[in-house]
Coordinates of all heavy atoms in Angstrom, one line a residue:
M1 N 0.8 -1.2 0.0 CA 0.0 0.0 0.0 C 0.9 1.2 0.0 O 2.0 1.2 0.4 CB -0.9 0.0 1.2 CG -0.3 0.1 2.5 SD -1.3 -0.1 4.0 CE -2.9 -0.3 3.4
L2 N 0.3 2.3 -0.5 CA 1.0 3.6 -0.5 C 0.2 4.6 0.2 O -1.0 4.8 -0.1 CB 1.3 4.0 -1.9 CG 2.4 5.1 -2.2 CD1 3.7 4.7 -1.6 CD2 2.5 5.4 -3.6
L3 N 0.7 5.3 1.2 CA 0.0 6.3 1.9 C 0.4 7.7 1.4 O 1.6 8.0 1.4 CB 0.3 6.1 3.4 CG -0.1 4.8 3.9 CD1 1.0 3.9 4.2 CD2 -1.1 4.9 5.0
H4 N -0.6 8.5 1.1 CA -0.3 9.8 0.5 C -0.7 10.9 1.5 O -1.8 10.9 2.0 CB -1.1 10.0 -0.8 CG -0.8 9.0 -1.8 ND1 0.2 9.2 -2.8 CD2 -1.3 7.8 -2.1 CE1 0.2 8.2 -3.6 NE2 -0.7 7.3 -3.2
S5 N 0.1 11.9 1.7 CA -0.2 13.1 2.5 C -0.5 14.3 1.8 O -0.2 14.4 0.6 CB 1.0 13.4 3.4 OG 1.3 12.2 4.2
Y6 N -1.2 15.2 2.4 CA -1.6 16.5 1.8 C -0.4 17.3 1.3 O -0.5 18.1 0.3 CB -2.4 17.4 2.7 CG -3.9 16.9 2.8 CD1 -4.3 16.1 3.8 CD2 -4.8 17.3 1.8 CE1 -5.6 15.7 3.9 CE2 -6.1 16.9 1.8 CZ -6.5 16.1 2.9 OH -7.8 15.7 2.9
D7 N 0.8 17.1 1.9 CA 2.0 17.9 1.5 C 2.8 17.3 0.4 O 3.8 17.7 0.1 CB 2.8 18.2 2.7 CG 3.5 16.9 3.3 OD1 3.1 15.8 2.9 OD2 4.3 17.0 4.2
G8 N 2.3 16.2 -0.2 CA 2.9 15.5 -1.2 C 3.8 14.3 -0.8 O 4.3 13.5 -1.6
Y9 N 4.0 14.1 0.5 CA 4.8 13.0 1.0 C 4.0 11.7 0.8 O 2.8 11.7 0.8 CB 5.0 13.2 2.5 CG 5.7 12.1 3.2 CD1 7.1 12.0 3.1 CD2 5.1 11.1 4.0 CE1 7.8 11.0 3.7 CE2 5.8 10.1 4.6 CZ 7.2 10.1 4.5 OH 7.9 9.1 5.1
A10 N 4.8 10.6 0.6 CA 4.2 9.3 0.4 C 5.1 8.3 1.0 O 6.4 8.5 1.0 CB 3.9 9.0 -1.0
T11 N 4.6 7.3 1.6 CA 5.4 6.2 2.1 C 4.7 4.9 1.9 O 3.4 4.8 1.8 CB 5.7 6.3 3.7 OG1 6.7 5.3 4.0 CG2 4.5 6.1 4.5
N12 N 5.4 3.8 1.6 CA 4.9 2.5 1.4 C 4.8 1.7 2.7 O 5.6 2.0 3.6 CB 5.6 1.8 0.3 CG 7.1 1.5 0.7 OD1 7.7 2.2 1.4 ND2 7.7 0.5 0.1
L13 N 3.9 0.8 2.7 CA 3.8 -0.1 3.9 C 3.1 -1.4 3.5 O 2.2 -1.4 2.7 CB 2.9 0.7 4.9 CG 2.9 0.3 6.3 CD1 4.3 0.5 7.0 CD2 1.9 1.1 7.1
S14 N 3.5 -2.4 4.1 CA 2.9 -3.7 3.8 C 1.5 -3.7 4.6 O 1.4 -3.1 5.6 CB 3.7 -4.9 4.3 OG 3.8 -5.0 5.7
L15 N 0.6 -4.5 4.0 CA -0.7 -4.7 4.7 C -0.5 -5.3 6.1 O -1.2 -4.9 7.0 CB -1.6 -5.5 3.8 CG -3.1 -5.6 4.3 CD1 -3.7 -4.3 4.5 CD2 -3.9 -6.5 3.3
E16 N 0.5 -6.2 6.2 CA 0.8 -6.8 7.5 C 1.2 -5.8 8.6 O 0.7 -5.8 9.7 CB 1.9 -7.8 7.3 CG 2.3 -8.5 8.6 CD 3.4 -9.5 8.4 OE1 4.2 -9.3 7.5 OE2 3.4 -10.5 9.2
D17 N 2.1 -4.8 8.2 CA 2.5 -3.8 9.1 C 1.3 -2.8 9.4 O 1.2 -2.3 10.5 CB 3.7 -3.0 8.6 CG 5.0 -3.8 8.7 OD1 5.1 -4.5 9.7 OD2 5.8 -3.8 7.8
F18 N 0.5 -2.5 8.4 CA -0.6 -1.6 8.6 C -1.6 -2.1 9.5 O -2.2 -1.4 10.4 CB -1.3 -1.3 7.2 CG -2.4 -0.4 7.2 CD1 -2.2 1.0 7.3 CD2 -3.7 -0.8 7.1 CE1 -3.3 1.9 7.3 CE2 -4.8 0.0 7.2 CZ -4.6 1.4 7.3
A19 N -1.8 -3.4 9.5 CA -2.8 -4.1 10.3 C -2.3 -4.7 11.6 O -3.0 -5.3 12.4 CB -3.5 -5.2 9.5
A20 N -1.0 -4.4 11.9 CA -0.4 -5.0 13.1 C -1.0 -4.4 14.4 O -1.4 -3.3 14.4 CB 1.1 -4.7 13.0
E21 N -0.9 -5.2 15.4 CA -1.4 -4.8 16.7 C -0.6 -3.6 17.1 O 0.7 -3.5 17.0 CB -1.2 -5.9 17.8 CG -1.7 -5.6 19.1 CD -1.6 -6.7 20.1 OE1 -1.4 -7.9 19.6 OE2 -1.7 -6.5 21.3
G22 N -1.2 -2.5 17.6 CA -0.6 -1.3 18.0 C -0.6 -0.2 16.9 O -0.4 0.9 17.2
A23 N -0.7 -0.6 15.6 CA -0.7 0.4 14.6 C -2.1 1.0 14.5 O -3.1 0.3 14.8 CB -0.4 -0.3 13.2
L24 N -2.2 2.3 14.3 CA -3.5 2.9 14.2 C -3.5 4.1 13.3 O -2.5 4.7 13.0 CB -3.9 3.3 15.7 CG -3.1 4.3 16.4 CD1 -3.5 5.7 16.3 CD2 -3.1 3.9 17.9
L25 N -4.7 4.5 12.9 CA -5.0 5.7 12.2 C -5.7 6.6 13.2 O -6.7 6.4 13.7 CB -6.0 5.5 11.0 CG -5.4 4.8 9.8 CD1 -6.5 4.4 8.9 CD2 -4.4 5.7 9.1
A26 N -5.0 7.7 13.5 CA -5.5 8.6 14.6 C -6.1 9.8 13.9 O -5.5 10.5 13.0 CB -4.3 9.1 15.4
H27 N -7.3 10.1 14.3 CA -8.1 11.3 13.8 C -8.5 12.2 14.9 O -8.9 13.4 14.7 CB -9.3 10.9 13.0 CG -10.3 10.1 13.8 ND1 -11.2 10.7 14.6 CD2 -10.5 8.8 13.8 CE1 -11.9 9.7 15.2 NE2 -11.5 8.5 14.7
S28 N -8.3 11.8 16.2 CA -8.7 12.6 17.3 C -7.8 12.2 18.5 O -7.2 11.2 18.5 CB -10.1 12.4 17.6 OG -10.4 11.1 18.0
W29 N -7.8 13.2 19.5 CA -7.1 12.9 20.7 C -7.9 13.6 21.8 O -8.3 14.8 21.7 CB -5.7 13.5 20.7 CG -5.0 13.5 22.0 CD1 -4.7 14.6 22.8 CD2 -4.4 12.3 22.6 NE1 -4.0 14.1 23.9 CE2 -3.8 12.8 23.8 CE3 -4.4 11.0 22.3 CZ2 -3.2 11.9 24.7 CZ3 -3.7 10.1 23.2 CH2 -3.1 10.6 24.4
Q30 N -8.3 12.9 22.8 CA -9.1 13.4 24.0 C -10.4 14.0 23.5 O -10.7 15.1 23.9 CB -8.3 14.3 24.9 CG -7.1 13.6 25.5 CD -6.3 14.5 26.4 OE1 -6.3 15.7 26.3 NE2 -5.6 13.8 27.4
S31 N -11.0 13.3 22.6 CA -12.3 13.8 22.0 C -12.3 15.0 21.2 O -13.3 15.7 20.9 CB -13.4 13.9 23.1 OG -13.6 12.7 23.8
Q32 N -11.1 15.4 20.7 CA -10.9 16.6 19.9 C -10.2 16.2 18.6 O -9.4 15.2 18.6 CB -10.0 17.6 20.6 CG -10.6 18.2 21.8 CD -11.8 19.0 21.6 OE1 -11.9 19.8 20.7 NE2 -12.8 18.8 22.4
P33 N -10.6 16.8 17.5 CA -9.9 16.5 16.2 C -8.4 16.6 16.4 O -7.9 17.5 17.1 CB -10.4 17.5 15.2 CG -11.7 18.0 15.8 CD -11.5 17.9 17.3
L34 N -7.6 15.8 15.7 CA -6.2 15.8 15.8 C -5.6 17.1 15.2 O -6.0 17.4 14.1 CB -5.6 14.6 15.0 CG -4.1 14.3 15.2 CD1 -3.8 14.0 16.7 CD2 -3.7 13.1 14.3
A35 N -4.8 17.8 16.0 CA -4.3 19.1 15.6 C -3.4 18.9 14.4 O -2.7 17.9 14.3 CB -3.5 19.7 16.7
R36 N -3.3 19.9 13.5 CA -2.4 19.9 12.4 C -1.0 19.7 12.8 O -0.2 19.0 12.1 CB -2.6 21.2 11.6 CG -1.8 21.2 10.3 CD -2.1 22.4 9.5 NE -1.2 22.6 8.4 CZ -1.4 22.0 7.2 NH1 -2.3 21.1 7.1 NH2 -0.5 22.2 6.3
D37 N -0.6 20.3 13.9 CA 0.8 20.1 14.4 C 1.2 18.7 14.7 O 2.3 18.3 14.7 CB 1.0 21.0 15.6 CG 1.1 22.5 15.4 OD1 1.1 22.9 14.2 OD2 1.0 23.2 16.3
H38 N 0.2 17.9 15.0 CA 0.4 16.5 15.3 C 0.0 15.5 14.2 O -0.1 14.3 14.4 CB -0.4 16.2 16.6 CG 0.1 16.9 17.8 ND1 1.4 16.7 18.4 CD2 -0.4 17.9 18.5 CE1 1.5 17.5 19.4 NE2 0.5 18.3 19.5
G39 N -0.2 16.1 13.0 CA -0.5 15.2 11.9 C -1.9 15.2 11.4 O -2.2 14.4 10.5
G40 N -2.8 16.0 12.0 CA -4.2 16.0 11.6 C -4.4 16.5 10.2 O -3.5 17.2 9.6
P41 N -5.4 16.1 9.5 CA -6.6 15.5 10.0 C -6.5 14.0 10.4 O -7.2 13.5 11.3 CB -7.7 15.7 8.9 CG -6.9 15.7 7.6 CD -5.5 16.3 8.0
V42 N -5.6 13.3 9.7 CA -5.4 11.9 10.1 C -3.9 11.5 10.0 O -3.3 11.9 9.1 CB -6.2 10.9 9.1 CG1 -5.9 9.5 9.4 CG2 -7.7 11.2 9.1
R43 N -3.5 10.8 11.0 CA -2.1 10.4 11.1 C -2.0 8.9 11.3 O -2.7 8.4 12.2 CB -1.4 11.1 12.2 CG 0.1 10.7 12.2 CD 0.9 11.2 13.4 NE 2.2 10.8 13.2 CZ 3.3 11.4 13.7 NH1 3.1 12.5 14.3 NH2 4.5 11.0 13.5
L44 N -1.2 8.3 10.6 CA -0.9 6.9 10.8 C 0.2 6.8 11.9 O 1.2 7.6 11.9 CB -0.4 6.2 9.5 CG 0.1 4.8 9.6 CD1 -1.1 3.9 9.9 CD2 0.8 4.4 8.3
V45 N 0.1 5.9 12.8 CA 1.1 5.6 13.8 C 1.4 4.1 13.7 O 0.5 3.3 13.9 CB 0.6 6.0 15.2 CG1 1.7 5.7 16.3 CG2 0.2 7.4 15.3
V46 N 2.6 3.8 13.4 CA 3.1 2.4 13.3 C 4.3 2.3 14.3 O 5.5 2.5 13.9 CB 3.5 2.0 11.9 CG1 3.9 0.6 11.8 CG2 2.5 2.4 10.9
P47 N 4.1 2.1 15.6 CA 5.1 2.1 16.6 C 6.2 1.1 16.4 O 7.3 1.3 17.0 CB 4.4 2.0 17.9 CG 3.1 1.4 17.6 CD 2.8 1.8 16.1
H48 N 6.0 0.0 15.7 CA 7.0 -1.0 15.6 C 8.0 -0.7 14.4 O 8.9 -1.5 14.2 CB 6.4 -2.4 15.5 CG 5.6 -2.6 14.2 ND1 4.3 -2.2 14.1 CD2 5.9 -3.2 13.1 CE1 3.8 -2.6 12.9 NE2 4.8 -3.2 12.3
L49 N 7.8 0.4 13.7 CA 8.7 0.7 12.6 C 9.2 2.1 12.8 O 8.7 2.9 13.6 CB 8.0 0.7 11.2 CG 7.4 -0.6 10.8 CD1 6.7 -0.5 9.5 CD2 8.5 -1.7 10.7
Y50 N 10.3 2.5 12.1 CA 10.8 3.9 12.2 C 9.7 4.8 11.8 O 8.8 4.5 11.0 CB 12.0 4.1 11.3 CG 13.3 3.5 11.8 CD1 14.0 2.5 11.2 CD2 13.9 4.1 12.9 CE1 15.2 2.0 11.7 CE2 15.1 3.6 13.4 CZ 15.8 2.6 12.8 OH 16.9 2.1 13.3
F51 N 9.8 6.0 12.4 CA 8.6 6.9 12.3 C 8.5 7.6 10.9 O 7.5 8.3 10.7 CB 8.6 7.9 13.4 CG 7.5 7.7 14.4 CD1 7.2 6.4 14.8 CD2 6.6 8.7 14.8 CE1 6.2 6.1 15.7 CE2 5.6 8.4 15.6 CZ 5.4 7.2 16.1
W52 N 9.4 7.4 10.0 CA 9.1 7.9 8.6 C 8.0 7.1 8.0 O 7.4 7.5 7.0 CB 10.3 8.0 7.7 CG 10.8 6.7 7.1 CD1 10.3 6.1 6.0 CD2 11.9 5.9 7.5 NE1 11.0 4.9 5.7 CE2 12.0 4.8 6.6 CE3 12.8 5.9 8.5 CZ2 12.9 3.8 6.7 CZ3 13.8 5.0 8.6 CH2 13.8 3.9 7.8
K53 N 7.6 5.9 8.5 CA 6.5 5.1 8.1 C 5.2 5.6 8.7 O 4.1 5.2 8.2 CB 6.7 3.7 8.4 CG 7.9 3.0 7.7 CD 7.6 3.0 6.2 CE 8.7 2.2 5.5 NZ 8.3 2.0 4.1
S54 N 5.2 6.4 9.7 CA 4.0 7.0 10.4 C 3.6 8.3 9.8 O 3.9 9.4 10.4 CB 4.3 7.1 11.9 OG 4.4 5.8 12.5
A55 N 3.1 8.2 8.6 CA 2.8 9.5 7.8 C 1.8 10.4 8.5 O 0.8 9.9 9.1 CB 2.3 9.1 6.4
K56 N 2.1 11.7 8.4 CA 1.2 12.7 8.9 C 0.3 13.2 7.8 O 0.6 13.1 6.6 CB 2.0 13.9 9.5 CG 2.8 13.6 10.7 CD 3.5 14.8 11.1 CE 4.3 14.7 12.4 NZ 4.9 15.9 12.8
W57 N -0.8 13.9 8.1 CA -1.6 14.7 7.2 C -2.2 13.8 6.1 O -2.2 14.2 4.9 CB -0.9 15.9 6.6 CG -0.2 16.7 7.7 CD1 -0.8 17.4 8.7 CD2 1.2 16.9 7.8 NE1 0.1 18.0 9.5 CE2 1.3 17.7 9.0 CE3 2.3 16.6 7.1 CZ2 2.6 18.2 9.4 CZ3 3.5 17.0 7.5 CH2 3.7 17.8 8.6
L58 N -2.6 12.6 6.4 CA -3.0 11.6 5.4 C -4.3 12.1 4.6 O -5.2 12.6 5.2 CB -3.3 10.3 6.0 CG -2.2 9.4 6.3 CD1 -2.6 8.1 7.0 CD2 -1.3 9.1 5.1
K59 N -4.2 11.9 3.3 CA -5.4 12.2 2.5 C -5.9 11.0 1.7 O -7.0 11.0 1.3 CB -5.1 13.4 1.6 CG -4.3 13.2 0.4 CD -4.3 14.4 -0.5 CE -3.5 14.1 -1.8 NZ -3.6 15.3 -2.7
R60 N -5.0 10.1 1.5 CA -5.4 8.9 0.7 C -4.5 7.7 1.0 O -3.3 7.8 1.3 CB -5.2 9.2 -0.8 CG -5.6 8.1 -1.7 CD -5.7 8.6 -3.2 NE -4.5 9.3 -3.6 CZ -3.7 8.8 -4.6 NH1 -4.1 7.7 -5.2 NH2 -2.7 9.4 -5.0
I61 N -5.1 6.5 1.1 CA -4.4 5.2 1.2 C -4.7 4.4 0.0 O -5.9 4.2 -0.4 CB -4.9 4.5 2.5 CG1 -4.7 5.3 3.7 CG2 -4.3 3.1 2.6 CD1 -5.3 4.8 5.0
E62 N -3.7 4.1 -0.7 CA -3.8 3.4 -2.0 C -3.3 1.9 -1.8 O -2.2 1.7 -1.4 CB -2.9 4.1 -3.0 CG -2.9 3.6 -4.4 CD -2.1 4.4 -5.4 OE1 -1.3 5.3 -4.9 OE2 -2.1 4.1 -6.6
F63 N -4.2 1.0 -2.1 CA -3.9 -0.4 -2.0 C -3.4 -0.8 -3.4 O -4.1 -0.7 -4.4 CB -5.1 -1.2 -1.6 CG -5.5 -0.9 -0.2 CD1 -6.4 0.1 0.1 CD2 -5.0 -1.7 0.9 CE1 -6.8 0.4 1.4 CE2 -5.4 -1.4 2.2 CZ -6.3 -0.3 2.5
L64 N -2.2 -1.4 -3.4 CA -1.5 -1.8 -4.6 C -1.2 -3.3 -4.7 O -1.0 -3.9 -3.7 CB -0.2 -1.0 -4.7 CG -0.3 0.5 -4.6 CD1 1.1 1.1 -4.5 CD2 -1.0 1.0 -5.9
V65 N -1.2 -3.8 -5.9 CA -0.8 -5.2 -6.1 C 0.7 -5.4 -5.9 O 1.2 -6.4 -5.3 CB -1.2 -5.7 -7.5 CG1 -0.7 -7.1 -7.7 CG2 -2.7 -5.6 -7.6
E66 N 1.5 -4.4 -6.4 CA 2.9 -4.5 -6.2 C 3.4 -3.3 -5.3 O 2.8 -2.3 -5.3 CB 3.6 -4.4 -7.6 CG 3.3 -5.6 -8.5 CD 4.0 -5.4 -9.9 OE1 4.9 -4.6 -10.0 OE2 3.6 -6.2 -10.8
D67 N 4.6 -3.6 -4.7 CA 5.1 -2.5 -3.9 C 5.6 -1.3 -4.7 O 6.1 -1.5 -5.8 CB 6.3 -3.1 -3.1 CG 6.9 -2.1 -2.1 OD1 6.1 -1.4 -1.4 OD2 8.2 -2.1 -2.0
H68 N 5.4 -0.1 -4.2 CA 5.8 1.1 -4.8 C 6.5 1.9 -3.7 O 5.8 2.3 -2.8 CB 4.6 1.8 -5.4 CG 5.0 3.1 -6.1 ND1 5.5 3.0 -7.4 CD2 5.0 4.4 -5.8 CE1 5.7 4.3 -7.8 NE2 5.4 5.1 -6.8
P69 N 7.8 2.2 -3.8 CA 8.5 3.0 -2.8 C 8.0 4.4 -2.7 O 7.6 5.0 -3.6 CB 9.9 2.9 -3.2 CG 9.9 2.6 -4.6 CD 8.7 1.9 -4.9
G70 N 8.0 4.9 -1.4 CA 7.6 6.3 -1.1 C 8.8 7.2 -1.2 O 9.9 6.8 -1.7
F71 N 8.7 8.4 -0.6 CA 9.7 9.4 -0.6 C 11.0 9.0 -0.1 O 12.0 9.0 -0.8 CB 9.2 10.7 0.1 CG 10.2 11.8 0.2 CD1 10.4 12.6 -0.9 CD2 11.0 11.9 1.3 CE1 11.4 13.6 -0.8 CE2 12.0 12.9 1.3 CZ 12.2 13.8 0.3
W72 N 11.1 8.5 1.2 CA 12.3 8.2 1.8 C 12.9 6.9 1.2 O 14.1 6.7 1.0 CB 12.2 8.0 3.3 CG 12.1 9.4 3.9 CD1 11.0 9.9 4.6 CD2 13.1 10.4 4.0 NE1 11.2 11.1 5.0 CE2 12.5 11.5 4.6 CE3 14.4 10.5 3.5 CZ2 13.2 12.7 4.9 CZ3 15.0 11.7 3.7 CH2 14.4 12.8 4.4
E73 N 12.1 6.0 0.8 CA 12.5 4.7 0.2 C 13.2 5.0 -1.2 O 14.2 4.4 -1.5 CB 11.4 3.7 0.0 CG 10.7 3.3 1.4 CD 9.8 4.4 1.9 OE1 9.3 5.2 1.2 OE2 9.5 4.3 3.2
V74 N 12.7 5.9 -1.9 CA 13.3 6.3 -3.2 C 14.7 6.9 -3.0 O 15.6 6.8 -3.8 CB 12.4 7.2 -4.0 CG1 13.1 7.9 -5.2 CG2 11.2 6.5 -4.5
N75 N 14.8 7.6 -1.8 CA 16.0 8.3 -1.5 C 17.0 7.5 -0.6 O 17.8 8.1 0.1 CB 15.7 9.6 -0.8 CG 15.1 10.6 -1.9 OD1 15.8 11.1 -2.7 ND2 13.8 10.8 -1.8
G76 N 16.9 6.2 -0.7 CA 17.9 5.4 0.0 C 17.6 4.8 1.3 O 18.4 4.0 1.9
Y77 N 16.4 5.1 1.9 CA 16.0 4.5 3.1 C 15.5 3.1 2.9 O 15.0 2.7 1.9 CB 15.0 5.4 3.9 CG 15.7 6.5 4.6 CD1 16.3 7.5 3.9 CD2 15.6 6.6 6.0 CE1 16.9 8.6 4.5 CE2 16.2 7.7 6.6 CZ 16.9 8.6 5.9 OH 17.5 9.7 6.5
H78 N 15.5 2.3 4.0 CA 15.1 0.9 3.9 C 13.6 0.8 3.6 O 12.8 1.6 4.0 CB 15.4 0.2 5.3 CG 15.3 -1.3 5.2 ND1 14.2 -2.0 5.2 CD2 16.3 -2.2 5.0 CE1 14.4 -3.3 5.1 NE2 15.7 -3.4 5.0
N79 N 13.3 -0.2 2.8 CA 11.9 -0.4 2.4 C 10.9 -0.6 3.5 O 9.8 -0.2 3.5 CB 11.8 -1.5 1.3 CG 10.5 -1.4 0.5 OD1 10.2 -0.3 0.0 ND2 9.8 -2.5 0.4
R80 N 11.4 -1.3 4.6 CA 10.5 -1.6 5.7 C 10.7 -0.7 6.9 O 9.8 -0.2 7.5 CB 10.6 -3.1 6.1 CG 9.7 -3.4 7.3 CD 9.3 -4.8 7.4 NE 8.3 -5.0 8.5 CZ 8.5 -5.5 9.7 NH1 9.7 -5.9 9.9 NH2 7.6 -5.6 10.6
G81 N 12.0 -0.6 7.4 CA 12.3 0.3 8.5 C 12.1 -0.3 9.9 O 11.5 0.4 10.7
D82 N 12.5 -1.5 10.1 CA 12.4 -2.1 11.4 C 13.5 -1.6 12.3 O 14.7 -2.0 12.1 CB 12.4 -3.6 11.3 CG 12.2 -4.3 12.7 OD1 12.4 -3.7 13.7 OD2 11.7 -5.5 12.6
P83 N 13.3 -0.8 13.4 CA 14.4 -0.3 14.2 C 15.1 -1.4 15.0 O 16.3 -1.3 15.3 CB 13.7 0.7 15.2 CG 12.3 0.3 15.2 CD 12.0 -0.4 13.8
W84 N 14.4 -2.5 15.3 CA 15.0 -3.6 16.1 C 16.0 -4.3 15.2 O 17.0 -5.0 15.8 CB 14.0 -4.5 16.7 CG 13.0 -3.7 17.5 CD1 11.7 -3.5 17.2 CD2 13.2 -3.0 18.7 NE1 11.1 -2.7 18.1 CE2 12.1 -2.4 19.1 CE3 14.4 -2.9 19.5 CZ2 11.9 -1.6 20.3 CZ3 14.3 -2.1 20.7 CH2 13.1 -1.5 21.0
R85 N 15.9 -4.3 13.9 CA 16.8 -4.9 13.0 C 17.8 -3.9 12.4 O 18.5 -4.2 11.5 CB 16.1 -5.6 11.9 CG 15.3 -6.8 12.4 CD 14.6 -7.5 11.2 NE 13.9 -8.7 11.8 CZ 13.2 -9.5 11.0 NH1 13.1 -9.3 9.7 NH2 12.6 -10.5 11.6
E86 N 17.6 -2.6 12.9 CA 18.4 -1.5 12.4 C 18.3 -1.3 10.9 O 19.3 -1.1 10.2 CB 19.9 -1.6 12.8 CG 20.0 -1.6 14.4 CD 21.4 -1.6 14.9 OE1 22.4 -1.4 14.1 OE2 21.6 -1.7 16.1
E87 N 17.1 -1.4 10.4 CA 16.9 -1.3 8.9 C 16.7 0.2 8.6 O 15.6 0.7 8.4 CB 15.6 -2.1 8.5 CG 15.8 -3.6 8.7 CD 14.5 -4.3 8.4 OE1 13.4 -3.7 8.6 OE2 14.6 -5.5 8.1
R88 N 17.8 0.9 8.5 CA 17.7 2.4 8.2 C 17.8 2.7 6.8 O 17.1 3.5 6.2 CB 18.8 3.1 9.0 CG 18.6 3.1 10.5 CD 19.6 3.9 11.2 NE 19.6 3.7 12.6 CZ 20.4 2.9 13.3 NH1 21.4 2.3 12.6 NH2 20.3 2.7 14.5
Y89 N 18.8 2.0 6.1 CA 19.1 2.3 4.7 C 18.9 1.1 3.9 O 18.9 0.0 4.4 CB 20.5 2.9 4.6 CG 20.8 4.1 5.5 CD1 21.5 3.9 6.7 CD2 20.2 5.3 5.2 CE1 21.7 5.0 7.6 CE2 20.4 6.4 6.1 CZ 21.1 6.2 7.3 OH 21.3 7.3 8.1
T90 N 18.9 1.3 2.6 CA 18.6 0.3 1.6 C 19.4 -1.0 1.8 O 18.9 -2.1 1.8 CB 18.8 0.8 0.2 OG1 17.9 1.9 0.0 CG2 18.5 -0.3 -0.8
N91 N 20.7 -0.8 2.1 CA 21.6 -2.0 2.2 C 21.7 -2.6 3.7 O 22.5 -3.5 3.9 CB 23.0 -1.6 1.7 CG 23.0 -1.3 0.3 OD1 22.2 -1.9 -0.5 ND2 23.8 -0.4 -0.2
D92 N 20.9 -2.1 4.6 CA 20.9 -2.6 6.0 C 20.2 -4.0 6.0 O 19.3 -4.3 5.4 CB 20.2 -1.7 6.9 CG 21.1 -0.4 7.2 OD1 22.3 -0.4 6.9 OD2 20.5 0.5 7.7

């Protein structure tokens, strides 16, 4: 899947990581809409991956048959980004 933000940012994510326990789409906090400073109107939070995968200001989620790298992945960052495996860059 490819997640698109209002500012043009995009990141790819597997369906498995998107649906993992602890991952969430946040649209509010304490019964209030999520503030723009914190990624509103909708922010993805994927705590088990590096935070470049937790896209802010989401406007569209695109489900794809094949993987399509996002902004950081095109620029040399690891396709998945697992911090416990130190997957920071493409060759990690």
Side-chain angles (χ1 to χ4, degrees):
M1 67 187 355
L2 195 60
L3 299 110
H4 301 269
S5 298
Y6 280 99
D7 66 351
Y9 178 77
T11 190
N12 62 333
L13 197 64
S14 71
L15 187 56
E16 178 182 31
D17 286 320
F18 181 78
E21 185 175 342
L24 59 95
L25 286 170
H27 60 80
S28 61
W29 173 253
Q30 297 182 333
S31 301
Q32 297 294 317
L34 190 62
R36 183 173 172 82
D37 289 347
H38 296 290
V42 177
R43 181 187 184 149
L44 175 67
V45 179
V46 186
H48 65 278
L49 298 179
Y50 280 115
F51 249 48
W52 78 80
K53 295 295 190 175
S54 293
K56 296 180 176 183
W57 312 297
L58 284 179
K59 76 173 183 178
R60 182 167 55 114
I61 299 172
E62 184 177 6
F63 292 88
L64 304 169
V65 175
E66 295 180 14
D67 185 40
H68 183 82
F71 177 82
W72 287 112
E73 297 80 19
V74 167
N75 288 289
Y77 279 64
H78 197 276
N79 199 48
R80 180 154 186 258
D82 183 336
W84 305 110
R85 293 182 178 178
E86 297 185 9
E87 295 174 337
R88 292 184 192 101
Y89 305 104
T90 301
N91 295 324
D92 287 345

